[in-house]
Amino acid sequence: MKIALINDTHFGARGDNLIFNEYFFKFWDNIFFPYLAEHNIKTCIHLGDVLDRRKFINHKIADDFQNRFMRRFWENNIDTHILIGNHDTYYKNTNRVNAVNNLCTTYDKVNEPFIYENPKIATFDGVDILLMPWICDDNYDRSVHLLKNAEVNLVFGHFEIAGFEMDRGNVCQEGLDKKMFDRFDMVLSGHFHHKSNDGTIFYLGNQYEMTWADYNDQRGFHIFDTETRELTFVPNPYKMFYKITYDDTVNDFEFWKTYDFTSLKETYVKVIVVNKQNPYLFDTVI
């Protein structure tokens, strides 16, 4: 059985910015859902931080999230499991009040995803996996108990573990001691947006660029095979952040006349100026 793994989707990021919203949906519409259809993948686990802001979301983003994202899971009969992340919760000491329950549940309980506010062992194709949402005061004792005693060797969660990069060069100094996970064969986690691993603990990284810290740091999603335990990375080809080097001692008008500026439409661009001896050319490029 193959399971699609996504995490840290952060709908409503950058202050409900609609350009970022459309950039996100380029990935979902053109990469993610077509891949699942092509490979007949019918199970998806979201490892937390579905929404971006803990307190609120605007109506446009909420409508897109429900109708352009969640609806596609149930229309395609995809068994969907969502772990609550720290960005999804209203309070810091409990996962009970969260955006996922508010946006993904219905009164008739039809086509709802499985939502995990507390840790639970779930079985996929005969394989037991400990699913661990954000650890907070309310679920801390049960979470630690299961990490120490659960009879499983696979853990999927939304963890803050010391010693891993949150983004490139920015190492988390606090959080859980990674020795807590020594007894497991494989730990897959959301929360940190940079993709990294130590051979046992795998931070999957998020699906798309969101800040300049993500520049040139490959994004995408993963497929987990329950039989082989192979983790396959599917890259996202779309970028939001670009850098252009300007040096008019090297590149003249002819170079810039043929430059494909259309690829930069609705993206953030930094122009690195090495030499600017021709102000007219520079202004033309800008």
Side-chain angles (χ1 to χ4, degrees):
M1 178 184 185
K2 294 185 178 180
I3 302 173
L5 299 175
I6 55 178
N7 56 279
D8 298 272
T9 49
H10 287 279
F11 288 98
R14 304 299 295 262
D16 293 314
N17 186 298
L18 294 183
I19 290 178
F20 271 92
N21 188 56
E22 292 305 313
Y23 162 66
F24 292 174
F25 277 105
K26 277 177 63 177
F27 165 76
W28 300 117
D29 293 342
N30 300 335
I31 307 299
F32 180 74
F33 285 110
Y35 185 97
L36 267 55
E38 179 184 354
H39 295 85
N40 195 33
I41 294 172
K42 293 297 184 181
T43 304
C44 180
I45 301 177
H46 193 303
L47 301 184
D49 280 0
V50 181
L51 285 302
D52 187 63
R53 286 178 294 179
R54 297 173 50 246
K55 301 294 185 181
F56 52 85
I57 185 173
N58 78 25
H59 294 299
K60 166 61 176 169
I61 301 296
D63 185 75
D64 282 349
F65 169 72
Q66 290 178 316
N67 292 298
R68 297 173 65 185
F69 182 71
M70 289 305 305
R71 179 180 293 272
R72 297 188 67 172
F73 288 101
W74 64 260
E75 283 181 342
N76 291 288
N77 297 312
I78 298 172
D79 181 30
T80 308
H81 300 253
I82 301 176
L83 312 186
I84 298 302
N86 56 303
H87 277 252
D88 300 317
T89 63
Y90 185 81
Y91 297 106
K92 292 188 176 182
N93 64 341
T94 178
N95 292 340
R96 190 184 64 80
V97 180
N98 62 78
V100 180
N101 268 324
N102 289 334
L103 293 174
C104 300
T105 57
T106 60
Y107 290 109
D108 57 10
K109 302 297 180 184
V110 175
N111 300 315
E112 291 187 352
F114 294 93
I115 299 171
Y116 299 82
E117 300 174 3
N118 295 297
K120 182 180 180 180
I121 298 173
T123 303
F124 299 87
D125 195 31
V127 177
D128 291 337
I129 301 175
L130 175 57
L131 299 179
M132 185 79 63
W134 180 247
I135 298 176
C136 58
D137 293 346
D138 202 28
N139 66 15
Y140 180 84
D141 289 341
R142 174 163 173 76
S143 298
V144 172
H145 174 77
L146 286 171
L147 287 173
K148 291 180 178 179
N149 300 290
E151 295 182 1
V152 300
N153 48 38
L154 294 173
V155 182
F156 295 179
H158 194 85
F159 298 113
E160 185 167 287
I161 305 173
F164 289 87
E165 289 180 289
M166 297 179 285
D167 45 58
R168 283 179 304 179
N170 186 14
V171 177
C172 179
Q173 303 296 333
E174 300 180 348
L176 301 173
D177 188 333
K178 70 178 185 177
K179 291 181 180 179
M180 293 179 66
F181 303 90
D182 283 349
R183 74 184 189 90
F184 300 108
D185 292 343
M186 198 173 196
V187 179
L188 306 182
S189 182
H191 190 47
F192 297 157
H193 293 188
H194 176 64
K195 177 178 165 65
S196 67
N197 73 85
D198 68 352
T200 299
I201 299 171
F202 293 78
Y203 272 100
L204 303 184
N206 70 329
Q207 280 67 76
Y208 23 63
E209 298 176 350
M210 293 175 56
T211 72
W212 274 107
D214 305 332
Y215 171 74
N216 215 24
D217 191 12
Q218 182 66 64
R219 295 302 199 247
F221 72 105
H222 294 78
I223 303 296
F224 180 76
D225 191 318
T226 56
E227 293 183 16
T228 65
R229 299 196 180 180
E230 181 181 6
L231 193 61
T232 301
F233 178 66
V234 183
N236 177 2
Y238 301 120
K239 298 177 61 177
M240 178 56 90
F241 300 97
Y242 290 86
K243 292 181 181 180
I244 293 177
T245 299
Y246 177 88
D247 185 347
D248 55 25
T249 65
V250 175
N251 298 318
D252 58 10
F253 269 102
E254 293 303 315
F255 171 84
W256 291 109
K257 280 168 61 177
T258 60
Y259 192 89
D260 181 20
F261 287 103
T262 59
S263 64
L264 306 178
K265 180 178 173 60
E266 295 185 337
T267 66
Y268 286 82
V269 181
K270 284 185 178 182
V271 180
I272 312 301
V273 181
V274 179
N275 284 296
K276 186 180 76 170
Q277 299 182 11
N278 186 334
Y280 177 72
L281 174 56
F282 178 76
D283 289 344
T284 303
V285 170
I286 296 299

